[in-house]
Amino acid sequence: MIHSMKVENFKCFEHLSMEFSNLNLFSGINSMGKSTVIQVLLLLRQAYEQGVMEKGIYLNGKYVSLGVGRDILYRDATEDTICISLEGEQCGLYAKYDYNKNSDFLELNKYFDVDLNNIAREINLFGNGFQYIAAERLGPRNSYEKSYYEVQENEQTGTHGEYAVHYLQEHGEADEVENENVRYEGEENIHLLRQTERWLGEITPGVNLRIEDYGHSNRVGLTVRQEGSSGSDYFTVTNVGFGISYALPVVLALLKAKKGEILLLENPEAHLHPKGQRKMGELIARAAQGGVQIILETHSDHILNGIRLAAKQEKVNPELVRLYYFSRKLIQNGKEEKMMPVIEQPVLKKDGRLSLWPEGFFDEWDKALYDLI
């Protein structure tokens, strides 16, 4: 598990220091640095999969595309280097990279006290249980592609959820949900497909999924039957809206994740109605209680409220939850005043309340009510 991260001279951050727990929620108005933190982690994972960690990091690849050096160096940097460090339980990664404004490869200057083989074992970012679900996910399609390499070898649903249907086809009836904390209450069938259907039922009640194999085309189809329909009334997912398609890879990733694994989620609330968002927050909290490390970016107060209710209902230990609110404030820097990134940390209490509500932290509803009155 990642315990802490430090970054110097990367995008909007001159210096960034963060501590992590099981569930880490990032919120804040746009362009304040939330995605930047996730991008740092994805750059390291990208370099690990590319086998270049001993040489440097590529800025463009499977997980992120950031351009060239001049696009990511902190604008007021006094040194032409970018530093990244991660701390796990028993080891850490401490790296300095040389800046090259015209290149999409940052060459490693040096590592500090690091054993790359040990890091892959001790820090889940580099383990087999890594999963990243991007904000931009695949919407309803008449068919979805297969990838035996990603689904069978890597056990991935795809960054954009593109292999979620194929993953369900291969693992839905064969695999049981290992994390007892996320098993749907009252459902005896703990296989992945049925558990996925029950959690998706919080978005579309009584949903049943059927997967159709399209043979030599190397594609699969997804059809859906809803509560109240006759047994033969299955419809293509293109006829049941965006909610199921956008939620499926997120729900699937949360249900299949095991203790010690890591999941990076962006905007899991997309295309979901408020109740669905709240239940998604509860599922996220329950997965974290089961030992999954989740790094989550969201703009949804309903996601937050789902987590708060999970704490009040003792479905998650609030000590496992860290809330980060990203903003900017005018700060005195020597003789000058500058707008600087600021990260505030409300603390979640056992009763679901928060220790503080920073200005702009999920308070728009209250402001709207005040204006209406």
Side-chain angles (χ1 to χ4, degrees):
M1 182 175 289
I2 301 171
H3 282 206
S4 65
M5 179 178 77
K6 293 182 179 180
V7 177
E8 294 181 8
N9 291 337
F10 189 85
K11 296 185 75 171
C12 63
F13 295 110
E14 182 179 15
H15 302 287
L16 171 68
S17 180
M18 301 184 70
E19 294 184 351
F20 294 95
S21 187
N22 288 47
L23 174 50
N24 310 274
L25 184 149
F26 300 165
S27 66
I29 60 176
N30 299 100
S31 301
M32 293 294 113
K34 303 182 301 297
S35 297
T36 297
V37 176
I38 293 177
Q39 287 169 353
V40 171
L41 298 173
L42 292 175
L43 277 176
L44 293 175
R45 175 70 190 194
Q46 193 163 272
Y48 172 75
E49 291 190 11
Q50 292 168 333
V52 298
M53 287 190 69
E54 294 181 335
K55 299 178 182 178
I57 51 175
Y58 283 102
L59 301 182
N60 304 302
K62 175 181 178 180
Y63 297 118
V64 288
S65 295
L66 301 181
V68 294
R70 64 173 173 267
D71 297 312
I72 66 162
L73 185 71
Y74 176 67
R75 63 181 181 180
D76 294 325
T78 57
E79 294 184 35
D80 286 345
T81 57
I82 293 172
C83 298
I84 302 173
S85 68
L86 293 181
E87 285 278 2
E89 291 185 11
Q90 300 180 8
C91 69
L93 168 71
Y94 315 93
K96 178 183 285 188
Y97 302 96
D98 289 328
Y99 166 69
N100 186 331
K101 68 176 183 178
N102 296 317
S103 175
D104 71 343
F105 181 76
L106 301 186
E107 188 174 350
L108 179 69
N109 183 293
K110 61 180 176 179
Y111 276 129
F112 300 88
D113 302 324
V114 66
D115 181 347
L116 290 178
N117 293 325
N118 195 37
I119 281 178
R121 291 190 298 268
E122 297 293 335
I123 298 182
N124 53 13
L125 182 66
F126 308 111
N128 294 330
F130 168 86
Q131 177 74 65
Y132 165 54
I133 305 292
E136 184 183 0
R137 299 189 283 281
L138 209 62
R141 297 289 191 275
N142 288 320
S143 66
Y144 298 87
E145 63 180 308
K146 292 182 178 181
S147 173
Y148 287 95
Y149 175 74
E150 292 292 349
V151 168
Q152 297 287 47
E153 295 296 324
N154 293 338
E155 296 191 1
Q156 296 277 307
T157 62
T159 296
H160 305 288
E162 62 269 35
Y163 307 124
V165 178
H166 185 209
Y167 192 98
L168 264 186
Q169 181 189 40
E170 296 295 324
H171 296 274
E173 297 285 4
D175 293 0
E176 295 182 345
V177 173
E178 183 175 305
N179 185 350
E180 295 182 3
N181 291 273
V182 299
R183 293 176 184 171
Y184 195 90
E185 294 171 1
E187 176 57 65
E188 295 182 359
N189 185 342
I190 61 172
H191 284 91
L192 186 59
L193 175 59
R194 185 55 184 155
Q195 289 290 314
T196 300
E197 288 176 332
R198 293 306 301 269
W199 278 104
L200 286 177
E202 297 293 344
I203 302 162
T204 302
V207 66
N208 292 108
L209 306 177
R210 186 171 67 186
I211 300 168
E212 300 176 351
D213 196 303
Y214 294 155
H216 296 297
S217 68
N218 201 40
R219 300 183 72 84
V220 289
L222 179 67
T223 56
V224 177
R225 181 169 64 87
Q226 295 174 283
E227 192 174 55
S229 302
S230 66
S232 60
D233 287 338
Y234 276 84
F235 301 94
T236 61
V237 74
T238 56
N239 291 309
V240 293
F242 274 73
I244 289 178
S245 296
Y246 256 63
L248 175 59
V250 179
V251 170
L252 189 55
L254 288 163
L255 292 178
K256 77 181 188 65
K258 301 177 180 63
K259 181 178 180 180
E261 296 183 348
I262 186 170
L263 175 58
L264 276 60
L265 288 177
E266 292 179 343
N267 303 120
E269 69 272 12
H271 293 290
L272 300 185
H273 61 79
K275 180 188 174 184
Q277 294 180 39
R278 180 171 63 82
K279 295 301 289 188
M280 183 70 80
E282 177 189 332
L283 178 58
I284 289 168
R286 289 169 62 166
Q289 180 65 32
V292 181
Q293 186 169 37
I294 299 170
I295 298 174
L296 159 70
E297 178 187 354
T298 182
H299 293 282
S300 170
D301 52 350
H302 302 297
I303 292 283
L304 173 63
N305 289 338
I307 295 169
R308 294 172 64 196
L309 285 167
K312 184 174 182 178
Q313 296 166 0
E314 298 184 345
K315 294 175 181 176
V316 66
N317 182 346
E319 294 181 0
L320 299 179
V321 179
R322 290 185 180 271
L323 306 176
Y324 293 95
Y325 176 65
F326 290 68
S327 64
R328 288 182 185 174
K329 293 185 178 180
L330 197 61
I331 295 176
Q332 192 73 32
N333 186 11
K335 295 182 179 180
E336 298 181 352
E337 286 187 330
K338 297 177 64 176
M339 292 297 294
M340 302 289 289
V342 174
I343 303 176
E344 297 173 86
Q345 291 185 253
V347 176
L348 178 62
K349 300 180 180 180
K350 290 183 178 181
D351 61 2
R353 297 184 180 185
L354 302 181
S355 63
L356 64 107
W357 284 87
E359 175 71 21
F361 179 73
F362 295 114
D363 58 4
E364 195 58 34
W365 178 239
D366 292 334
K367 291 179 178 178
L369 282 178
Y370 180 82
D371 289 343
L372 284 169
I373 294 172

